[in-house]
Structures are given as structure tokens and as C-alpha cells.
Amino acid sequence: MSLPATKTLNPCLGPAGIDRNRVLDMHCHVAGIGAGGSGAFISERLRRSWKYQVYLRAFGVSEKALRQDGDGLVVARIAQRLAASSQVGEAVVLALDGVVGADGELDPRRTETYIPNDFLAREAARHPNLHFGASVNPKRRDALARLERVKADGALLVKWLPAIQLIDPADVALTSFYRKLVELDLPLLTHAGHERSFTAAANHLGDPCRLHLPLRLGVRVIVAHAATSGRNQGQDNLRRLLPLFAAHPNLYADISSLTQANKLRFLPRVLKAGIDPARLLYGTDFPLIGTGLTSPLFSALRLPPRQTLALLGVANPWDQDVRLKLAHGVPPEIFTNARQLLLPCARTL
């Protein structure tokens, strides 16, 4: 007796039928210590912090290996581990500009971490599964020329950490910068809410209500982590963000870090807030998904025990992140939104 014919399974389809080739992690950090002439640096203050060694381990490198092989090793390790994922095909790796002084130049004394655009653009181009995310502090004397340059180098977006780079998004002096972003069709990925990955932060600059200006000027703004930390004006930042979606159709948010132990309570709030799912984007905040902060153990009270155990057995950090977010009810279509927004005409890998 012959068996009935069955459909051939697509090896690229993961949980809920998601095609890994359509999944783009649009929020992936790198790091560097200046090895190999990268121009990157980490401040002595941050290197003395316990966080420094945690980050190195999460990147899968050591300081000795970086000094031997150069900072490009961090990017190569990301590409290798991502290539082994069965759920995520590509990622945007993010540069990070520093604090800029009154003279329009980088102020290294007040900068904790610096990842130059030219270094990251060059290294990302070596790996077909990585894309370049630029960072330009608008206080740079040549900020508009830098935007032109990163666009020519293939940048998919511009990343800000206002509380760390000391940028006020509401400053009208940034109008020409915002208009250049619109002209170049470069979205702005900006952190909102409180920042705790560094040793100090001016968290009032992370108030999402400070984003009205770039939104009114037509910038496509992506709010990192959906502003799910901290408070401003006596109100939690997520609550301050939500009304902006109705007012500005060019506003998006990413769901990176929302399975961290300290943010789990926010994930259902974001999913039930009435935000159009097309305006929520998939990101991981790598390397934080490799630090243990997003361990499925923190979700044990919210998920069936068998599911928690199965998630703990998933070794690849991207695979675990996708499966964990699906388990928490993230709609499957959200995982492909970032690629549609940032690479609308690109072919899949």
C-alpha cells in the first residue's frame, strides 16, 4: 500500500511558517577596542565596569583575541553565529558615534563607546548576511556631509542613543539634519526610555515626546525597545510613546530587548496597545540576547514548563529569541516587517 503524497517541506521555514530569508534583525550592536586600526574605542570607565567582560563573552571574543586579530573579529563572529541560525537570515550591525563638543568634533573624554562608520561599513561589506547601520551625531560640524557619505556606503539607517550621545531630538537646530535624512531616505533608529547599558546617561533626552519634531518633518523614526523603560514627567515612557502612533504614520518601534528579565511586563502591553503590527519591527539588541538577560527561565511563570524546557535547549541566540517571542504571542508577520521597510527591493539570500 503506497503512502499518500506529502508536500516537500521548505527548509527555510521556521516556527509559524516564517521564512528565515525574510527575517532581518535590525538592531544588532558591535564593539571594538581600536585593534587593527579600527578607530573604535571603549572608555576606561566602561572597561573597569563588570559589564565589559560580560559584553566580550556575549560577542564570543576576548580582549587578547581582538588585539591579535583586530576588531573586525567581532563582526565576523556575529556573521558566523547568525549564519548558523535557522530563524534569522540577516542583521543590521550598528555603528555608534560619540559625544560631540561645542567645536563640532568628537569629545573622547565624554564618550564611553565609539564605533566609526567607515570601519563598520567596510567590515559589514565582507559578510553577505550583514548590513551597515550608521551613526552620526547631528552636532558634528560636517554632519550633513557624513550623512551623504554613509548613504553612499550603503547605510540602511542612522542610529542614535540620545542619552549617551547628549542629543536632544527636540532641538530645532537639528532641522536641517532631519531634512537631510528625509532627502536621503534614511530612517532614524533612536533609543527612547532609560539607558542602562552604560555607566551614566542623561535619560531625560530619552523622552519619546521629544520626537515630535523629526516626525513632523517626515523622518521615518524607529523607537528602539518601544520606549519600555523609565519615566519622564511622572509618566512611564511607553505610555508617553503610544499617542504618537496615531499622530504620526511615519513612526515605528522595534521589539528588541522585550524578553529581558526587566522588560517582560512590557511585551504584552506593547502587543495589546492597538499599534498596527506593520509598525512593529523585529530586533534583538544583540549581544544582550547572549548575556542571559533574555533566558527563557525568566518566562517560566508565563509559559508551560515543557515549552520553557524546549526553549532552554535552543543554543543559537537568534533562534531562541524568535521562538521565545513567538511563545509570548508576537504575531509572525512582525518578524518580516524590518526587511520590508529597510530592504524593500532586495532579493532574499
Side-chain angles (χ1 to χ4, degrees), residues 33 54 71 84 86 116 138 140 206 209 247 251 253 263 274 281 284-285 313:
I33 60 173
V54 172
D71 287 342
S86 63
R140 291 269 193 179
C209 290
L251 175 64
K263 291 188 178 182
L281 310 179
T284 64
D285 210 16

Side-chain angles (χ1 to χ4, degrees), residues 24 90-94 120 124 127-133 154 156 339 343 346 349:
L24 173 72
E90 301 168 80
V92 179
V93 286
L94 302 171
L120 193 55
H127 306 284
N129 59 349
L130 299 183
H131 300 279
F132 168 43
L156 297 189
R339 198 171 199 280
L343 290 164
L349 289 173

Side-chain angles (χ1 to χ4, degrees), residues 209-220:
C209 290
R210 291 178 180 268
L211 296 170
H212 279 291
L213 176 61
L215 287 164
R216 285 199 304 266
L217 292 172
V219 178
R220 286 186 295 167

Side-chain angles (χ1 to χ4, degrees), residues 3 8 29 72 91 96 104-105 112 127 162 174 208 211:
L3 294 173
T8 302
H29 294 285
L96 187 62
E105 301 294 339
E112 290 205 27
H127 306 284
L174 307 186
L211 296 170

